[in-house]
Amino acid sequence: MKAGTAQQYARWIGAFYLITIVAGGWGESHVPNALLIANDLAGTAQRVASSVGLFRSSFAAYLIEAACDITLNVLLYALLRPVSRNLALLAACFGLMGTAVFAAGEIFYFAAALPAVDADVARVVSPEAKAALTYLCLTIYGYVNGIFAVFYGTATVVRGYLIVRSGYLPRALGAICILGGASFIVKNFLVVVLPQYDLPYVIAPLPLALVSMALWLLIKGIDRPQWDQSRRRQLLEDDRSYGPNP
């Protein structure tokens, strides 16, 4: 891939990261947190029932964010492939796994609103069961959100390492990504092993990493001469790997 094409990929990655930050912040964090009332089944069900439009907007935002995530995995693989094809592929696999796990959690999120949006469900389920279903689904969604973090975090750590090694992207940007990804892995560990220490600010470095990536790639992009050098190195390595034996 030529430097000009790589620069275009970098711009697209920055744009998709910005969309992901906005859509994900709305659909995966703000609205679910606003709907769930801790230890209050009836209050949570009532809030969901009275906020169907808000709920639908949050789910639509998630779908946009998920589509961006899938696209980002492909574009980031292409952009980081000259550094290490295997590690770039590993990061893409972890990233896609994270997207798939979170999609499973979103099924529970959507199910939480069924008593309010599906007349057939509302007719056959008692008020107590409606409240329990809504609260249980939102709670499971929250736990899946924590479990998916290890996949997304690992992908971000690997990409941060590749950025540090790349030469055509700043080492500081890679270091921020490694820190952000590590915070997501710690989040997963706390949810599974030490839930009493699971605090929201644990993942604070990740939004910083995503915003940094988005702005740098959108405004600055890659260092073209360094990209050409990395690309030539990769081609030489490919020739040695697949060329005829002496």
Side-chain angles (χ1 to χ4, degrees), residues 87-110:
L87 288 180
L89 180 61
L90 179 66
C93 289
F94 269 103
L96 290 171
M97 184 65 181
T99 301
V101 172
F102 199 85
E106 284 289 332
I107 295 173
F108 288 97
Y109 181 67
F110 189 82

Side-chain angles (χ1 to χ4, degrees), residues 108-212:
F108 288 97
Y109 181 67
F110 189 82
L114 286 179
V117 301
D118 191 312
D120 293 331
V121 173
R123 185 169 56 252
V124 300
V125 178
S126 67
E128 294 78 12
K130 291 177 187 176
L133 173 65
T134 298
Y135 190 86
L136 180 61
C137 286
L138 286 177
T139 302
I140 293 174
Y141 163 78
Y143 276 104
V144 174
N145 194 348
I147 293 170
F148 115 101
V150 68
F151 301 108
Y152 196 90
T154 303
T156 306
V157 168
V158 175
R159 286 168 182 152
Y161 171 73
L162 292 173
I163 290 171
V164 169
R165 286 187 52 197
S166 69
Y168 50 83
L169 289 169
R171 289 178 178 270
L173 187 62
I176 294 172
C177 288
I178 292 172
L179 179 62
S183 73
F184 246 41
I185 296 172
V186 171
K187 168 74 173 179
N188 177 257
F189 177 81
L190 293 177
V191 168
V192 175
V193 182
L194 297 170
Q196 66 272 26
Y197 296 110
D198 179 24
L199 298 172
Y201 59 76
V202 170
I203 62 171
L206 187 67
L208 174 63
L210 296 181
V211 171
S212 300

